[in-house]
Amino acid sequence: MGFASEYLKSEIKKQFSEITKKLDHDVDCIVGDLRKGQGAGLGKDIDKVMKYIVEAEKAIPYIEFARENAHRIKRSTDNSVKAAEATEKASVIGSALNPAAAAIGFATSFIKAVLKKEAKDLEDVINVVPAITGNFKGFLKRSKGKIIAALAEKALKDKNIENRTNMVG
């Protein structure tokens, strides 16, 4: 995999994977505690996780900016491939009279191959980014929804307990 595509891939992984693991664990713990009836003292944890979700949403524009830059790099790489092709053609013509031009043409073919591979790898990563950010947005939305649903479930359970107490007493 090329340098630029590897860098973009590692940035995406760093931004989304770490956040997803931490957030998934925290949300599961909060939801589990709420379902067990241990709601007292969770207010600070819930606020902290909700703030973390808002902060995590700020990573999406950063990745989109990196994707735009990757597009620019890809265009530059495509132009470099065209320049390498032109140089290769010129060196083929010049190699009839000069052995050094033949060597340059041979080296240019290697450079062209590397640039083409870099452009293809970069395009592959660029095309995957929208799906990854979409999945991440969905994950954040589901995480918020899990917490809200667990809070509503706990409130309903508390209300039922209160109603039973009032009926008995």
Side-chain angles (χ1 to χ4, degrees):
M1 188 165 276
F3 172 75
S5 55
E6 188 65 39
Y7 175 76
L8 184 59
K9 185 177 165 187
S10 69
E11 279 298 307
I12 293 168
K13 186 178 277 190
K14 183 176 82 173
Q15 289 294 322
F16 291 156
S17 295
E18 294 172 8
I19 292 170
T20 302
K21 286 178 186 175
K22 181 184 181 337
L23 199 55
D24 196 31
H25 177 265
D26 290 349
V27 168
D28 287 345
C29 289
I30 288 172
V31 169
D33 288 346
L34 285 171
R35 288 185 178 154
K36 290 177 190 172
Q38 302 172 347
L42 282 179
K44 288 182 182 177
D45 290 339
I46 292 170
D47 288 342
K48 191 167 85 173
V49 169
M50 292 301 243
K51 286 179 185 175
Y52 190 72
I53 289 172
V54 170
E55 288 296 317
E57 289 171 340
K58 293 179 182 176
I60 294 169
Y62 174 77
I63 294 300
E64 289 297 325
F65 179 72
R67 181 175 181 257
E68 290 171 14
N69 284 338
H71 270 296
R72 291 183 191 105
I73 293 169
K74 186 189 174 311
R75 281 194 300 266
S76 175
T77 305
D78 289 341
N79 290 336
S80 298
V81 168
K82 289 176 186 173
E85 288 172 351
T87 303
E88 185 178 30
K89 288 176 186 176
S91 64
V92 166
I93 293 169
S95 66
L97 302 173
N98 186 353
I104 291 172
F106 190 68
T108 304
S109 66
F110 286 116
I111 293 170
K112 185 176 76 172
V114 169
L115 287 172
K116 280 185 178 180
K117 183 180 182 325
E118 179 75 39
K120 185 190 176 311
D121 291 345
L122 196 54
E123 185 175 2
D124 291 344
V125 173
I126 289 169
N127 291 337
V128 170
V129 170
I132 292 171
T133 56
N135 291 342
F136 187 68
K137 288 176 187 177
F139 169 75
L140 294 176
K141 190 175 182 179
R142 284 189 307 277
S143 295
K144 280 182 187 179
K146 280 182 184 179
I147 292 173
I148 292 169
L151 285 170
E153 186 180 309
K154 181 181 177 347
L156 184 61
K157 190 185 286 185
D158 290 347
K159 187 69 171 170
N160 287 339
I161 291 171
E162 183 183 321
N163 287 343
R164 276 185 277 173
T165 305
N166 289 341
M167 281 190 222
V168 173

